[in-house]
Amino acid sequence: MTENADHMSFDVTAVLERAAAGERITPEEALHLYRDAPLHALGSAADAVRRRRYAGTEHIATYIIERNINYTNVCVTACKFCAFYAAPKDKAKGWTRDLDDILRRCAETVELGGTQIMFQGGHHPDYGVEYYEKHFAAIKAEFPQLVIHSLGASEVEHMARISKVSVEEAITRIHEAGLDSFAGAGAELLPARPRKAIAPLKESGERWLEIMETAHGLGVESTSTMLMGTGETNAERIEHLRMIRDVQDRTGGFRAFIPYTYQPENNHLKGRTQATIFEYLRMIAIARLFMDNIVHIQGSWLTTGKEAGQLSLHYGADDLGSIMLEENVVSAAGAKHRSNRMEIIDLIRRAGRVPAQRTTTYEHIVVHDDPANDPVDERVMSHISSTAIEGGTAHPELKLLASN
Ligand code: SF4
């Protein structure tokens, strides 16, 4: 598949109609639509698919309350788009959190109504399987109600190498210790050329998928992600989707697909390319049309902004991801969008949908169908601003943040 596919023989309207009716489209057709379909028609087709998939609850859009816990920024992998990591020899910039600190953050999450922990950090040269076993077991022992939705294939590859065990053993052990599902981190761009350009020390895209497939086979589901805007072509974006769709045909283990946009500050790519909001919305729509085997398409508005997040609900997204109690990774690269629970609820309502707080596995915890019963947020906000910044790295004004 190339960028120079034949424009003349392609009937955009006919393919859009087929896709909107639920027929599977080819990668070549997806590329044509992504590049050439009128934006409103693309969004309308994707929304038709979403409404049919959620018939009966199509008026609802979901969000989750979670906390990112960044356990270390020390990392040997040195991805060029990353503004978060510190090389192991950079003692001034590098930090790690101890277990007590992590447990305190979990306690705050529970207190604030959070249901999910996203354990996220660098590839620390000393952290093998044992490190994650110890931490996940300790979190589950104290907070069995918290879902640990964390890590991804890159961390599994790294910890297995450090502990000199197979990825099967690594996955099995951390799952038994308490990991519930993988967050799909590290997918970045899966095709070889753009992946090598931005993350030359990461495992290949094929290997990333192989590890996810192994996890799905062992009963550990995941989400899938995509980093847009680091210089990849349109064809490479569609190839990324194809690679995920092919694995999903075999495993069914990807719960969601979450594209997000590259943030340009404080990293080695120096912002030389970025995805536009229109490209992002087109991606949300094409993901809904092309990835017919993935149930949830998530709008990510930490990186694109609230208006784009709101628009994504009209381009095929059914979920706006999380109100995060803490986030330090994409924020370090310049993502400046902040929000709180009331604002997310309001934003979803203004998009013409009924907001619902969900679990990690997308069950509705509370449907906000009556504004008179909306949660009062002041306690949450004041609690966060007085306690959550201790030991934090990037946000002296830390409030509830919103992201994927
Ligand atoms: S993206 Fe992750 S693996 Fe890559 S340098 Fe940053 S912390 Fe390390």
Side-chain angles (χ1 to χ4, degrees):
M1 186 171 53
T2 71
E3 290 287 330
N4 299 320
D6 180 6
H7 286 247
M8 301 302 290
S9 60
F10 187 79
D11 185 339
V12 167
T13 306
V15 176
L16 261 185
E17 279 174 6
R18 278 177 33 227
E23 199 176 304
R24 178 165 276 206
I25 58 172
T26 67
E28 290 75 16
E29 289 170 333
L31 178 58
H32 273 297
L33 293 183
Y34 182 63
R35 203 176 42 194
D36 300 328
L39 183 61
H40 65 280
L42 193 61
S44 171
D47 198 49
V49 171
R50 178 195 66 79
R51 279 188 272 111
R52 193 170 52 248
R53 187 179 266 282
Y54 290 97
T57 57
E58 72 272 22
H59 58 294
I60 287 177
T62 50
Y63 71 92
I64 187 168
I65 301 179
E66 72 161 7
R67 185 164 194 168
N68 254 22
I69 296 182
N70 302 121
Y71 50 94
T72 182
N73 69 342
V74 177
C75 186
V76 296
T77 305
C79 301
K80 294 184 181 173
F81 60 86
C82 181
F84 170 76
Y85 82 95
K89 63 177 189 246
D90 188 350
K91 304 293 182 203
K93 188 180 174 195
W95 50 263
T96 60
R97 295 200 194 293
D98 63 26
L99 182 55
D100 285 346
D101 185 342
I102 288 167
L103 292 175
R104 178 178 62 78
R105 288 162 197 271
C106 291
E108 288 174 355
T109 306
V110 171
E111 190 182 336
L112 297 174
T115 59
Q116 174 177 294
I117 289 292
M118 174 107 77
F119 215 63
Q120 183 185 40
H123 298 169
H124 193 293
D126 299 334
Y127 290 1
V129 177
E130 300 73 19
Y131 171 87
Y132 296 95
E133 282 180 311
K134 174 184 162 189
H135 286 73
F136 292 161
I139 291 169
K140 281 291 185 182
E142 251 187 80
F143 306 103
Q145 69 273 52
L146 278 179
V147 173
I148 303 178
H149 174 71
S150 301
L151 310 180
S154 301
E155 285 85 0
V156 171
E157 179 87 328
H158 177 75
M159 74 175 78
R161 190 184 314 126
I162 298 294
S163 295
K164 299 187 174 52
V165 299
S166 66
V167 297
E168 288 83 353
E169 179 177 333
I171 293 166
T172 302
R173 282 171 52 185
I174 61 174
H175 183 40
E176 284 174 0
L179 177 91
D180 292 288
S181 50
F182 284 114
E188 327 302 4
L189 265 296
L190 294 170
R193 192 206 63 81
R195 190 172 186 82
K196 281 212 177 75
I198 62 171
L201 300 183
K202 258 190 179 134
E203 71 291 330
S204 70
E206 284 79 11
R207 180 64 176 156
W208 189 93
L209 287 166
E210 195 176 285
I211 294 170
M212 284 289 104
E213 187 160 1
T214 301
H216 297 170
L218 292 168
V220 188
E221 292 189 336
S222 71
T223 52
S224 57
T225 59
M226 174 188 195
L227 173 62
M228 298 178 65
T230 61
E232 74 282 359
T233 65
N234 291 331
E236 286 164 343
R237 288 177 182 169
I238 300 301
E239 176 63 2
H240 180 97
L241 303 192
R242 183 203 63 77
M243 292 168 81
I244 292 172
R245 187 173 81 168
D246 282 359
V247 171
Q248 182 74 344
D249 275 343
R250 294 194 292 273
T251 72
F254 290 117
R255 289 177 187 152
F257 176 67
I258 309 156
Y260 64 102
T261 55
Y262 161 64
Q263 300 299 299
E265 292 177 18
N266 307 323
N267 57 61
H268 292 293
L269 295 183
K270 302 197 190 323
R272 65 175 180 233
T273 62
Q274 290 171 58
T276 66
I277 297 296
F278 292 128
E279 289 177 286
Y280 169 74
L281 291 172
R282 297 183 82 87
M283 177 50 63
I284 290 282
I286 212 71
R288 176 59 79 191
L289 294 172
F290 180 72
M291 301 173 100
D292 56 350
N293 52 4
I294 293 189
V295 177
H296 301 285
I297 303 295
Q298 181 178 309
S300 165
W301 53 282
L302 179 68
T303 57
T304 53
K306 290 165 198 152
E307 290 82 4
Q310 198 173 36
L311 272 173
S312 73
L313 296 178
H314 294 283
Y315 283 78
D318 60 288
D319 179 75
L320 272 190
S322 63
I323 297 168
M324 299 179 94
L325 305 182
E326 178 176 355
E327 201 290 323
N328 296 309
V329 177
V330 292
S331 312
K336 294 190 170 57
H337 305 290
R338 305 276 182 275
S339 192
N340 61 50
R341 188 177 190 184
M342 289 309 301
E343 199 172 8
I344 293 277
I345 289 171
D346 184 57
L347 186 149
I348 292 173
R349 277 204 188 111
R350 285 170 185 268
R353 310 272 280 281
V354 173
Q357 184 189 350
R358 68 166 171 88
T359 65
T360 305
T361 46
Y362 294 86
E363 290 88 16
H364 297 165
I365 298 171
V366 52
V367 178
H368 306 289
D369 47 9
D370 182 356
N373 295 329
D374 279 353
V376 177
D377 218 33
E378 271 113 39
R379 184 191 69 87
V380 174
M381 294 297 286
S382 64
H383 184 97
I384 281 289
S385 55
S386 64
T387 64
I389 61 172
E390 288 168 40
T393 56
H395 300 294
E397 82 289 17
L398 186 65
K399 292 179 180 174
L400 291 166
L401 306 180
S403 177
N404 44 359

